Amino acid sequence: FIYNAEFLSAPRIAVNQIIGKGNSINNIAEAYPGAIFAEFHFPGFDQKYEGMDWLSLRLVLEAKADGGWWLVGIIHDQWTI
């Protein structure tokens, strides 16, 4: 369910910007204060759905004291009714 598309080849990638927006609540800032995230987004796969089959994978990272990064969240989002 989480990696149901080849997200490394996603046509849109953004850092700290939500691309896929639906009716679910986005609480990244509240759940991971101070973190950054990368979003890998597919705007849709089948034209007959007019974008209502979009998918996004967001990877949330927090800075470590030594300058590295921790992966602290993996978020799968998709179009819902």
Side-chain angles (χ1 to χ4, degrees):
F1 173 77
I2 292 173
Y3 204 86
N4 61 341
E6 188 56 46
F7 288 103
L8 286 177
S9 300
R12 292 196 60 201
I13 300 172
V15 175
N16 290 336
Q17 176 186 357
I18 298 294
I19 302 170
K21 297 180 182 174
N23 61 0
S24 59
I25 296 171
N26 176 349
N27 65 345
I28 291 175
E30 293 83 15
Y32 305 99
I36 65 168
F37 68 91
E39 178 166 347
F40 302 83
H41 179 78
F42 285 95
F45 298 92
D46 191 327
Q47 287 185 339
K48 72 180 177 184
Y49 296 120
E50 299 177 349
M52 291 186 285
D53 56 345
W54 65 265
L55 294 172
S56 284
L57 180 70
R58 297 184 192 108
L59 301 178
V60 184
L61 304 159
E62 289 183 352
K64 293 171 47 177
D66 67 4
W69 294 91
W70 290 106
L71 176 64
V72 295
I74 301 173
I75 303 164
H76 175 94
D77 201 359
Q78 66 186 46
W79 186 90
T80 58
I81 295 175

